[in-house]
Amino acid sequence: MGSQIKAFVFDVYGTLFDVTAIKKECEELYPGYGEKISQSWRAKQVEYFLLRQLMGNYATLQSITRQALKYVLKEQGLEPDEKNEQQLLEAYLRLPLYPEVADVLSQLKDKKLVVFSNGSHDMLDPLIEHAELQTLFAEVLSIDDVKQFKPAPTSYEYALEKLGIESHEVLFMSSNGWDVSGAKNFGFQTAWINRKNLPVEELDLPPDYIFKDLNGLLKWQ
Amino acid sequence: MGSQIKAFVFDVYGTLFDVTAIKKECEELYPGYGEKISQSWRAKQVEYFLLRQLMGNYATLQSITRQALKYVLKEQGLEPDEKNEQQLLEAYLRLPLYPEVADVLSQLKDKKLVVFSNGSHDMLDPLIEHAELQTLFAEVLSIDDVKQFKPAPTSYEYALEKLGIESHEVLFMSSNGWDVSGAKNFGFQTAWINRKNLPVEELDLPPDYIFKDLNGLLKWQ
C-alpha cells in the first residue's frame, strides 16, 4: 500500500501541536484549575464542532473554541472574563509542537506534505508560522473553505478535490480517534498517531497504521 | 407559548432514567472502577452515536453501547469479558427512574405524552416496561426506525411526522444539552431538565424553559 502514497496529510490539533500544553496558561490565570480547564476545554470544543456539523449550524473553530472556553469556565464556577478568554485564545495561536515533529517533517521534505484541519485560517496560519513550518507544507487546507467539519465525509472530499489524486493515494495522519476513523470511513489510508497509548476506537474502522509518534512515518523517507 | 402544546415529548437516557446508576453494577464487577467506567461509558456512547451519524455509518444504540463499554474497559486496562459485558448491558434494561418521574407523568396523564429516544426498541421497550410506564405514553418513538440519531434535524423530523402536528406545538424535554439544543435548532419548544445544575450550552440555542427536574412541567397540569 505504502508505494501508492502521493500525499502525506496531517491533522493539526493534538497531532502536530500539543493542545494540552495550554494548561500552563490556564493554571496561571486560574490557579488550581489548569489541568481541568485545559482537558474540559478541548473535549467541549470537539463536542461543539461535532454538534454544529450534525445540526447544520456552522461556526468557525475560532468562535467555537471561545464558546467552549466560556462554557468550561462557567461549569467550573469561574467568572467568565473577556480579558482572560482573549489571553487563552491567543495562547492557542502559539501552541508548542510535539518534540519530534519538526525533525520528522524535515526528513520527509521530498514528499508532498499537506495540513488539513478543522481550524479556520485565522487560527491555523498564525500557529504554523509561529512554529516556522510554513515552508514544509505544500498546502494548508481548512475545512472553513467548505464549512464541513471532519469527520463528515464532505470534509475529506474537499481535501481530496484540492489534492487532485485518488483517495487511496492519501496517507492521513491524526492522533484523534474520531478523525482517523472518519478518514478511514471516507477511503483514505490512515496512520493513527497514538500519542496517549489508547485503545483503537470501537467503530469498526481500524487504522491502517498505528505509530506512537510521527517517527513511524520515517519508513517512507 | 404554553397553550399551544399538543404533545409532551421526552428523551429517555439521563432524562427519565438515571444512566449513572449503573456505576453500582460496574463497581461490583470491577471494584474501584465503578464511577470511572460508568461516566466514561456514557460519554463514549454519546461520542460514538454522534460520530456514526456524522460518518453516515449507522449502528443501533444497543450495538454502540456494547462497543463503548469494550473501549472503556480497555482504556482502563481491564480485560474485556463477554460475560461481564452482557451483565452490564442487561443492567441497562433495568435502569432506575429519577425519583419524581412516575409521579409527574401520572399527574400529566391527560396530556399526550410521548417518548422519543436514540435507543433502539430492543433497549427501550424492556426499560419502559420494567419501570411500568408503558400505559402512560401514547407512543414510544425510536430513531432506529429512520436510522438518524438526535441531534440531526432528520431525527426530530421523523418524530414530528409521527406526531402529525406542527413543530412549535411540541414541547421536548431532555436533560442532555446536545439533545435540547438539537430540538431547539429543529424548531421544537424545549425544556431543559437541568438535573446537574450545569451552564446552558454555548451553542446559541438556549432552551425555552429550564427546570431542575420534571416537577417543573406541572405548570401545564
Side-chain angles (χ1 to χ4, degrees):
Chain A
M1 291 176 82
S3 60
Q4 299 171 327
I5 299 170
K6 293 191 180 167
F8 292 74
V9 180
F10 296 83
D11 173 54
V12 171
Y13 298 104
T15 304
L16 303 178
F17 293 88
D18 183 0
V19 291
T20 69
I22 210 155
K23 73 181 169 201
K24 186 172 150 284
E25 284 85 354
C26 295
E27 182 67 27
E28 279 166 18
L29 290 172
Y30 299 102
Y33 291 89
E35 185 84 25
K36 182 66 190 166
I37 291 173
S38 62
Q39 286 186 1
S40 300
W41 187 9
R42 171 62 175 169
K44 205 72 191 171
Q45 178 204 47
V46 172
E47 185 192 350
Y48 279 180
F49 66 68
L50 297 180
L51 292 177
R52 283 185 174 274
Q53 177 67 30
L54 274 178
M55 295 191 298
N57 200 353
Y58 184 78
T60 64
L61 190 67
Q62 175 81 300
S63 157
I64 285 171
T65 303
R66 183 185 293 273
Q67 291 188 310
L69 176 59
K70 264 189 214 295
Y71 179 92
V72 167
L73 292 176
K74 286 185 194 168
E75 188 189 24
Q76 294 299 316
L78 301 167
E79 204 56 48
D81 172 301
E82 208 147 310
K83 193 163 144 284
N84 287 357
E85 283 170 30
Q86 195 56 36
Q87 192 171 329
L88 290 174
L89 286 165
E90 283 170 17
Y92 230 90
L93 308 178
R94 300 183 307 269
L95 292 170
L97 286 173
Y98 282 104
E100 86 287 4
V101 172
D103 180 53
V104 171
L105 294 178
S106 296
Q107 293 192 58
L108 293 170
K109 67 176 184 299
D110 295 338
K111 312 292 181 189
K112 183 168 187 176
L113 308 180
V114 174
V115 155
F116 178 47
S117 171
N118 275 342
S120 33
H121 280 291
D122 54 353
M123 295 176 76
L124 275 182
D125 297 346
L127 181 67
I128 289 169
E129 281 173 35
H130 181 263
E132 301 181 347
L133 293 185
Q134 66 273 30
T135 58
L136 289 172
F137 292 113
E139 295 192 65
V140 175
L141 303 176
S142 164
I143 64 85
D144 189 47
D145 293 343
V146 284
K147 305 191 190 324
Q148 296 288 314
F149 283 110
K150 297 185 286 179
T154 43
S155 67
Y156 303 103
E157 179 69 40
Y158 162 73
L160 190 62
E161 279 174 19
K162 293 291 280 187
L163 293 168
I165 57 180
E166 302 291 320
S167 61
H168 62 86
E169 295 170 332
V170 171
L171 180 64
F172 180 78
M173 271 64 64
S174 181
S175 297
N176 298 297
W178 51 266
D179 194 9
V180 83
S181 302
K184 177 80 183 173
N185 180 60
F186 176 69
F188 288 165
Q189 289 189 60
T190 55
W192 181 33
I193 312 305
N194 184 12
R195 297 187 179 280
K196 296 180 194 161
N197 195 27
L198 293 171
V200 173
E201 298 290 352
E202 295 283 339
L203 288 164
D204 307 317
L205 293 163
D208 298 298
Y209 305 94
I210 303 179
F211 304 123
K212 70 177 180 6
D213 60 35
L214 292 188
N215 280 302
L217 301 180
L218 294 177
K219 65 186 274 186
W220 287 284
Q221 192 185 356
Chain B
M1 294 174 80
S3 60
Q4 298 171 327
I5 298 169
K6 293 190 180 168
F8 291 74
V9 179
F10 296 84
D11 172 54
V12 170
Y13 297 104
T15 303
L16 302 178
F17 292 88
D18 183 1
V19 291
T20 69
I22 209 154
K23 72 181 169 203
K24 186 172 151 283
E25 284 86 354
C26 295
E27 182 67 28
E28 280 166 16
L29 290 172
Y30 299 101
Y33 290 88
E35 184 84 23
K36 182 66 188 168
I37 292 173
S38 62
Q39 286 185 3
S40 300
W41 187 10
R42 170 62 175 169
K44 205 72 191 171
Q45 178 203 45
V46 172
E47 185 192 349
Y48 278 180
F49 66 67
L50 297 179
L51 292 177
R52 283 184 173 274
Q53 178 67 28
L54 273 178
M55 297 192 296
N57 200 353
Y58 184 78
T60 64
L61 190 67
Q62 176 79 302
S63 157
I64 286 172
T65 302
R66 182 185 294 271
Q67 291 189 311
L69 176 59
K70 264 188 215 294
Y71 179 92
V72 168
L73 292 176
K74 287 184 194 168
E75 188 188 25
Q76 294 299 315
L78 301 166
E79 204 56 47
D81 172 301
E82 206 147 312
K83 193 163 144 283
N84 287 357
E85 283 170 30
Q86 196 55 37
Q87 192 171 330
L88 290 174
L89 286 164
E90 283 170 17
Y92 230 90
L93 308 178
R94 299 183 306 268
L95 292 170
L97 287 172
Y98 283 104
E100 87 286 5
V101 172
D103 180 52
V104 171
L105 293 178
S106 296
Q107 291 192 58
L108 292 170
K109 66 176 184 298
D110 294 339
K111 311 292 180 188
K112 182 169 187 176
L113 307 180
V114 174
V115 154
F116 177 47
S117 171
N118 275 342
S120 32
H121 279 292
D122 53 354
M123 295 177 75
L124 275 183
D125 296 346
L127 181 67
I128 289 169
E129 281 173 35
H130 180 263
E132 302 180 348
L133 294 185
Q134 65 273 33
T135 59
L136 289 172
F137 292 113
E139 295 192 66
V140 176
L141 303 175
S142 164
I143 64 83
D144 189 47
D145 292 343
V146 284
K147 305 189 189 325
Q148 296 288 313
F149 282 110
K150 298 186 284 180
T154 42
S155 67
Y156 303 104
E157 179 68 41
Y158 162 73
L160 189 62
E161 279 174 19
K162 293 291 280 188
L163 293 169
I165 56 180
E166 301 291 319
S167 62
H168 62 86
E169 295 170 332
V170 171
L171 180 64
F172 179 77
M173 270 63 65
S174 182
S175 297
N176 298 297
W178 51 266
D179 194 10
V180 83
S181 302
K184 177 79 183 174
N185 180 59
F186 176 69
F188 288 165
Q189 290 189 59
T190 55
W192 182 33
I193 311 305
N194 184 12
R195 296 187 180 279
K196 297 181 193 160
N197 195 27
L198 292 171
V200 172
E201 298 290 353
E202 295 282 340
L203 289 165
D204 308 316
L205 293 162
D208 298 298
Y209 305 95
I210 303 179
F211 304 122
K212 71 177 178 8
D213 60 33
L214 291 189
N215 279 300
L217 301 181
L218 294 176
K219 65 186 275 188
W220 287 285
Q221 192 185 357

